[in-house]
Amino acid sequence: MDKIQINGGRKLAGEVVISGAKNAALPLIAASILVDGTCEFTNVPNLMDIHSIKLLLEDLGARCAFDNHVMTVDGSGIQKIEAEYELVRKMRASILVLGPLVARFGHAKVSLPGGCAIGARPVNMHLAGLEALGAKIGIDHGYIEAKAEKLTGNEIYFDIPTVTGTENLMMAAVLAKGKTVLRNAAREPEIICLADALSRMGAKISGAGTPIITIEGVDRLAPALVTVIPDRIETGTFMVAAAATRGNVLIKGCNPDHIGGIISKLKASGAGVEICGDQIRVRGMEQVKSVDIKTLPYPGFPTDMQAQFMTLMCIADGTSVIHESIFENRFIHANELMRMGADITLSRADIAMVRGVPELQAAPVMASDLRASASLVIAGLMARGTTLISRVYHMDRGYEAIEKKFCALGADMVRIK
Ligand code: EPU
């Protein structure tokens, strides 16, 4: 298994270009199941998770090609309606094929995604939503089976805004008979990106980006060309890395409108943040100020940035309280940061108190999930000495060419095969 070795203590400086968003690209690719023809997606990041969903669609019978950040998917040959365990277990977001498969073929079998390092992550709201649209749902030998001759529009209320749940139900409802209203829907930019894509394919959707999304079903969708939005979490990760190393970095090709919470908290921590169109310059300050954060559904502070921000708070001038309200087990990185000299108390399963220390110390550490690995990279860049991060396959699921991008900013970072 690959490891990343970082000789830390260097200030990051220069420019970095942000890739397309993994969590926007995945539902777009799944949506091509709805179309009898070839869809084309541009600005698709070259990541493990993208290769995983491509393999899954190919296994269903789609013809896919992926080159130079362009993915084409021809769903006309899809005959298989079963997403197998071996493919789904590699990536939970495979659940995104459930809605489109039932909508187009009236039948789908998708392996139940298992447990996850950051929480239980059930899919009950996806299934309740499909049932409300008239699907019969069964769980059999670890597989979800959904059947419906023709889905019918309905009112669906989500107890909690769920990102992939909202996406799954949007994709199911676009081919349903009549009107569907999704209430308390997720409002993430990735939802708007999917709604725009489905609209280009001929779907009738309004309200994406608000808590109420209305969908009028249509008989069929047509192929479309769609561009993936910039990755707001990759953007935030480079912003925090620039601030944490007291660097000066110009982040290009991002969408500042999508990261209001991150910008606001970074400014509060003392970093200089200048926005100019699709570029953001971040300048780190000598002394980081302590800031409290609470993760919330969009437009709140993203849970996918909690670990990286905690790392920055490790060298702040006081105590910061970090409240993780989305996932029940998303502090595994805190124990690794403590191995690097951080002073963190987990006062509750969802609350971490981070008391700033003057500096972190390099140490061997282990990544537990995608965003935890990003936080350890930032910690390694901050700490003097050599940090060795193992289990970096988590990072390869969601950050394209990360060591290349950090090295171009002056980091001393190598992958050890
Ligand atoms: N939840 C339920 N039942 C459901 C669905 C969700 O109880 O049926 C709960 C979850 O357990 C969680 C909360 O609702 O407590 C919100 O979860 P959500 O469904 O929104 O998460 P997700 O759709 O599985 C997406 C991203 C995650 C990101 C979360 C939250 C994708 C492919 N994944 O997951 O991204 O953390 O939204 O913003 O879009 C990552 O990229 O590292 C990542 C984990």
Side-chain angles (χ1 to χ4, degrees), residues 6-199:
I6 302 173
N7 289 313
R10 297 171 171 223
K11 295 182 180 197
L12 296 182
E15 299 179 358
V16 60
V17 180
I18 294 305
S19 298
K22 163 180 87 76
N23 290 349
L26 292 171
L28 293 184
I29 295 166
S32 48
I33 292 174
L34 294 161
V35 180
D36 189 4
T38 304
C39 292
E40 184 173 317
F41 306 107
T42 58
N43 199 32
V44 177
N46 189 3
L47 299 169
M48 271 316 294
D49 274 10
I50 299 297
H51 291 279
S52 297
I53 198 149
K54 174 174 173 279
L55 270 180
L56 173 51
L57 263 73
E58 284 171 339
D59 190 58
L60 298 176
R63 283 177 43 175
C64 307
F66 186 31
D67 186 35
N68 202 15
H69 299 112
V70 178
M71 168 96 73
T72 54
V73 185
D74 175 2
S76 54
I78 296 180
Q79 293 201 325
K80 184 172 166 184
I81 49 83
E82 180 173 328
E84 292 184 15
Y85 174 68
E86 273 314 306
L87 296 167
V88 175
R89 75 180 177 87
K90 293 195 179 124
M91 186 185 63
R92 298 184 54 83
S94 306
I95 190 72
L96 285 167
V97 303
L98 180 63
L101 282 176
V102 199
R104 179 157 164 218
F105 300 102
H107 189 190
K109 265 184 94 173
V110 177
S111 171
L112 253 179
C116 174
I118 62 177
R121 304 185 72 182
V123 291
N124 57 309
M125 291 191 280
H126 301 229
L127 305 188
L130 283 175
E131 263 177 341
L133 298 183
K136 293 258 174 300
I137 306 283
I139 306 285
D140 192 27
H141 294 284
Y143 278 78
I144 303 162
E145 184 158 18
K147 280 187 185 166
E149 209 125 284
K150 176 84 180 159
L151 295 174
T152 310
N154 203 347
E155 290 265 335
I156 294 170
Y157 170 75
F158 295 108
D159 287 333
I160 312 169
T162 157
V163 177
T164 49
T166 302
E167 291 163 350
N168 235 337
L169 271 299
M170 273 166 61
M171 291 188 281
V174 286
L175 292 182
K177 187 166 170 280
K179 180 166 133 182
T180 298
V181 183
L182 305 179
R183 298 189 188 276
N184 200 24
R187 290 179 278 167
E188 272 67 3
E190 293 76 17
I191 304 278
I192 302 178
C193 183
L194 175 63
D196 287 347
L198 292 168
S199 300

Side-chain angles (χ1 to χ4, degrees), residues 123-389:
V123 291
N124 57 309
M125 291 191 280
H126 301 229
L127 305 188
L130 283 175
E131 263 177 341
L133 298 183
K136 293 258 174 300
I137 306 283
I139 306 285
D140 192 27
H141 294 284
Y143 278 78
I144 303 162
E145 184 158 18
K147 280 187 185 166
E149 209 125 284
K150 176 84 180 159
L151 295 174
T152 310
N154 203 347
E155 290 265 335
I156 294 170
Y157 170 75
F158 295 108
D159 287 333
I160 312 169
T162 157
V163 177
T164 49
T166 302
E167 291 163 350
N168 235 337
L169 271 299
M170 273 166 61
M171 291 188 281
V174 286
L175 292 182
K177 187 166 170 280
K179 180 166 133 182
T180 298
V181 183
L182 305 179
R183 298 189 188 276
N184 200 24
R187 290 179 278 167
E188 272 67 3
E190 293 76 17
I191 304 278
I192 302 178
C193 183
L194 175 63
D196 287 347
L198 292 168
S199 300
R200 276 169 182 261
M201 294 171 186
K204 293 191 179 151
I205 305 183
S206 59
T210 79
I212 302 177
I213 302 177
T214 305
I215 302 147
E216 286 285 350
V218 296
D219 286 339
R220 65 182 57 80
L221 297 183
L225 167 65
V226 182
T227 299
V228 177
I229 56 173
D231 195 313
R232 62 196 168 96
I233 305 302
E234 189 196 15
T235 306
T237 301
F238 277 101
M239 289 172 75
V240 169
T245 59
R246 299 170 171 115
N248 181 348
V249 174
L250 184 64
I251 298 159
K252 294 172 127 177
C254 57
N255 188 335
D257 290 342
H258 293 168
I259 53 168
I262 301 167
I263 292 172
S264 159
K265 289 293 173 180
L266 257 187
K267 281 186 175 169
S269 78
V273 181
E274 285 162 36
I275 300 166
C276 183
D278 69 350
Q279 304 189 352
I280 304 179
R281 181 175 293 284
V282 178
R283 286 192 183 85
M285 295 293 156
E286 259 330 289
Q287 181 58 62
V288 176
K289 292 184 203 153
S290 57
V291 176
D292 296 341
I293 63 163
K294 179 175 182 180
T295 64
L296 286 168
Y298 190 85
F301 191 91
T303 174
D304 291 342
M305 280 300 300
Q306 178 259 108
Q308 301 88 315
F309 211 82
M310 181 187 283
T311 304
L312 177 65
M313 289 301 106
C314 288
I315 54 157
D317 65 356
T319 300
S320 54
V321 179
I322 299 189
H323 185 169
E324 170 58 57
S325 86
I326 306 291
F327 291 114
E328 64 273 22
N329 192 30
R330 213 173 194 181
F331 283 145
I332 305 177
H333 49 277
N335 294 304
E336 300 302 299
L337 292 172
M338 285 189 253
R339 300 195 61 256
M340 298 180 74
D343 183 353
I344 304 171
T345 311
L346 300 181
S347 54
R348 265 178 22 192
D350 58 345
I351 293 189
M353 310 271 288
V354 186
R355 281 168 225 91
V357 295
E359 59 178 19
L360 292 180
Q361 304 152 13
V365 286
M366 198 181 286
S368 53
D369 73 78
L370 169 56
R371 308 305 170 185
S373 49
S375 76
L376 296 178
V377 166
I378 296 171
L381 293 169
M382 291 154 69
R384 260 175 235 287
T386 304
T387 293
L388 194 61
I389 307 171

